[in-house]
Amino acid sequence: MTVFLAGGTGTPKLLSGAEDVIAPADTTVVGNTGDDVELGGLFVCPDIDTVLYERAEELDRDRWWGIADDPTTTHDEIVRLSAAVDIPATPRYLPDDRQTDGRDIARWRRFSAAGEFMHIGDRDRAVHLLRTSLLDEGRTLTEVTRTLADAFGLLVEVVPMSDDPVATIVHTAAGPMHFQEFWVARGGEPAIESVEFRGSEAAQATATVLEAIREGPVVVGPSNPVTSIGPMLALDGIEAALHETSVVAVSPFVEDKVFSGPARDLMEAVGYEPSTAGVADAYPFADAFVLDDADGTDLDRPVVRTDTTMDDRAAAERVARAVGTALEGI
Ligand code: GDP
């Protein structure tokens, strides 16, 4: 079984071209859940959903989130009604005491849907509704994710990193905020002071995840090392398991240039050089790396180079083949 550690962009892109290199039936995807939020009572798993929708060929590949051509009737009406009573479309956290009651999995990231700051399509919302109801029936997030993956006809296994709450809180010059507020509502603008994975000391990686990693091999896709892979590494046992297994990491940088997203600022804020060299420092357990042809970074571990820009499936397959070569070399 090959295990991919995934956020919501780089690794799902890689998976889109991986199926001829690594059989889907032999693939387990571990999804980051630090980005998850509860919005209007519905539990949303942005990174896992992108993997589900991408693998089901339902993903909106322009935005790289949500379902393609998904109508937004419900969202539009929430925003319209809210605006009519002067409720703006900005994040509205539930009161502090409500952050830690209600569903345990949703702790510290519970938002009102008034003004709905995230753009949720109608079909996408149906997934969140179903997920939340199955959680409320008493199933774990792992079980519910499996059910949703089955409903979408996925061949790969998708599992959350944990069944416990872990909330990625970005501490900024404008105060602490959940990653979704930082990125979706504020476009990554506030200056970052530090990043906290709230709940990670008490949260456990699931036995499924730890066993899968130990058996390996593991591919750390080109995901954000801080907010996509960081929450996993913060869980007891994951980094130790990664040290015991064969790991190939794909850089989300070309030297010090990032393809997309806030990885640069986040790496800098937590004390890593915002570059491929910094990624290698963040991943001491990686046995080999896949870097871009134009990335001359000199690493202390084996490197396979290719064009790592993944604009389409053929490009992703090229990167997946480089991952395969790197794995063979370990
Ligand atoms: P998030 O959950 O949306 O932050 O997504 P991830 O953490 O999975 O991925 C974000 C990272 O993907 C960013 O740091 C990007 O640099 C990287 N990325 C995006 N597109 C590409 C690509 O085509 N090639 C590579 N190598 N990295 C990419």
Side-chain angles (χ1 to χ4, degrees):
M1 205 50 100
T2 302
V3 180
F4 287 75
L5 306 187
T9 308
T11 307
K13 276 191 187 177
L14 177 61
L15 284 164
S16 74
E19 57 198 17
D20 288 341
V21 183
I22 298 158
D26 292 331
T27 299
T28 297
V29 184
V30 178
N32 167 45
T33 57
D35 289 4
D36 297 0
V37 292
E38 191 187 82
L39 186 62
L42 300 186
F43 194 62
V44 182
C45 298
D47 287 355
I48 283 175
D49 287 339
T50 296
V51 174
L52 292 179
Y53 301 159
E54 195 290 319
R55 290 292 67 209
E57 300 196 6
E58 297 272 12
L59 182 69
D60 182 325
R61 299 180 74 87
D62 293 326
R63 299 180 309 187
W64 209 259
W65 52 266
I67 293 177
D69 304 319
D70 198 358
T72 55
T73 312
T74 310
H75 172 79
D76 295 344
E77 189 65 358
I78 293 171
V79 171
R80 189 185 72 83
L81 292 171
S82 300
V85 287
D86 293 328
I87 295 175
T90 51
R92 297 164 69 87
Y93 293 86
L94 297 194
D96 283 352
D97 58 339
R98 298 286 322 277
Q99 290 295 336
T100 47
D101 66 14
R103 272 174 215 108
D104 194 49
I105 189 89
R107 283 173 157 235
W108 311 295
R109 50 228 174 128
R110 306 187 72 208
F111 294 88
S112 160
E116 194 160 87
F117 79 103
M118 292 173 84
H119 203 81
I120 309 267
D122 296 332
R123 290 182 58 204
D124 190 20
R125 191 182 306 274
V127 172
H128 310 319
L129 186 50
L130 184 55
R131 166 186 294 125
T132 309
S133 288
L134 294 174
L135 286 168
D136 286 348
E137 286 181 17
R139 303 192 206 190
T140 64
L141 188 60
T142 299
E143 290 164 346
V144 173
T145 304
R146 212 165 262 156
T147 301
L148 291 173
D150 286 345
F152 276 103
L154 259 62
L155 300 175
V156 300
E157 181 166 24
V158 185
V159 291
M161 64 184 200
S162 176
D163 287 326
D164 302 321
V166 177
T168 299
I169 308 290
V170 185
H171 292 265
T172 76
M177 58 190 76
H178 188 271
F179 179 75
Q180 294 298 341
E181 173 175 8
F182 171 76
W183 185 241
V184 177
R186 297 186 184 236
E189 281 295 319
I192 307 163
E193 290 166 355
S194 61
V195 180
E196 173 194 356
F197 304 118
R198 194 168 293 172
S200 61
E201 314 77 31
Q204 308 217 330
T206 65
T208 312
V209 166
L210 288 175
E211 276 159 30
I213 291 177
R214 276 191 204 111
E215 276 174 31
V218 174
V219 179
V220 184
S223 284
N224 184 325
V226 182
T227 50
S228 292
I229 306 302
M232 299 183 200
L233 301 182
L235 297 175
D236 234 16
I238 290 214
E239 190 152 355
L242 286 166
H243 275 286
E244 287 171 26
T245 198
S246 301
V247 181
V248 167
V250 183
S251 180
F253 286 83
V254 179
E255 294 183 355
D256 61 354
K257 284 175 205 68
V258 80
F259 285 87
S260 61
R264 267 195 70 85
D265 291 347
L266 285 159
M267 297 264 300
E268 214 155 27
V270 303
Y272 287 118
E273 192 181 297
S275 67
T276 288
V279 174
D281 288 341
Y283 298 161
F285 45 77
D287 301 296
F289 287 87
V290 172
L291 305 187
D292 192 81
D293 284 327
D295 191 332
T297 311
D298 193 14
L299 294 179
D300 55 356
R301 284 158 276 175
V303 167
V304 174
R305 284 189 170 80
T306 189
D307 174 357
T308 62
T309 304
M310 295 184 284
D311 285 339
D312 53 30
R313 286 210 172 85
E317 184 173 335
R318 177 183 65 232
V319 179
R321 291 203 183 281
V323 167
T325 305
L327 283 173
E328 281 163 19
I330 294 174

